Amino acid sequence: MPMSGVPTAATVTLTVLLAVVIVFQVALAAGAPWGAASYGGEHRGVLPGRLRIASAVAAVVWLGFAPFLLTRAGVDLPVDVPMAAAAVVTWVFVAVMVISVVLNAITPSVLERAIWLPIVLLLAGAAIVIALAPQ
């Protein structure tokens, strides 16, 4: 999988968990009744329209990170992503994940904290490994 000094475990962890986040956001946008596990757990069941739109946008943003992260991890993709851009975007992703760790740690939703805190911790860790790996 990775062609650089990035450990395969970090790349696989990041890829799988990022896919989980994207699928979850797409499902929320499509009307899945998982509001208790998102956005602080305020909205049980199907999210209101504005949060469904936010989830659709979030899915696109998370998907947009993928080619940069995978390029930085050394995965050969059919798209040309400059390594300098991949390095910068990987650190942006690390920052977003650190913020996500804090937000998921303090959320009033026990369900959201139980599901998403471990996932964002693993995503942050994998992204840090990828960001720091030699090229």
Side-chain angles (χ1 to χ4, degrees):
M1 191 146 175
M3 307 308 287
S4 65
V6 176
T8 301
T11 304
V12 170
T13 298
L14 182 123
T15 303
V16 169
L17 293 179
L18 190 57
V20 167
V21 171
I22 292 166
V23 168
F24 181 75
Q25 291 296 337
V26 168
L28 287 174
W34 301 337
S38 63
Y39 300 103
E42 270 184 48
H43 304 279
R44 306 271 176 212
V46 176
L47 294 174
R50 65 182 171 75
L51 291 179
R52 289 176 67 182
I53 292 168
S55 285
V57 170
V60 171
V61 170
W62 296 129
L63 187 60
F65 275 115
F68 294 94
L69 296 166
L70 294 173
T71 295
R72 179 66 182 100
V75 176
D76 189 23
L77 299 175
V79 296
D80 186 25
V81 177
M83 189 54 76
V88 169
V89 172
T90 299
W91 282 111
V92 169
F93 184 81
V94 167
V96 169
M97 287 300 96
V98 168
I99 292 166
S100 294
V101 166
V102 171
L103 293 176
N104 281 285
I106 65 171
T107 181
S109 169
V110 174
L111 180 60
E112 187 177 14
R113 190 170 43 254
I115 295 170
W116 295 111
L117 183 56
I119 289 174
V120 297
L121 276 167
L122 287 169
L123 276 167
I128 289 167
V129 168
I130 290 167
L132 293 174
Q135 289 297 297

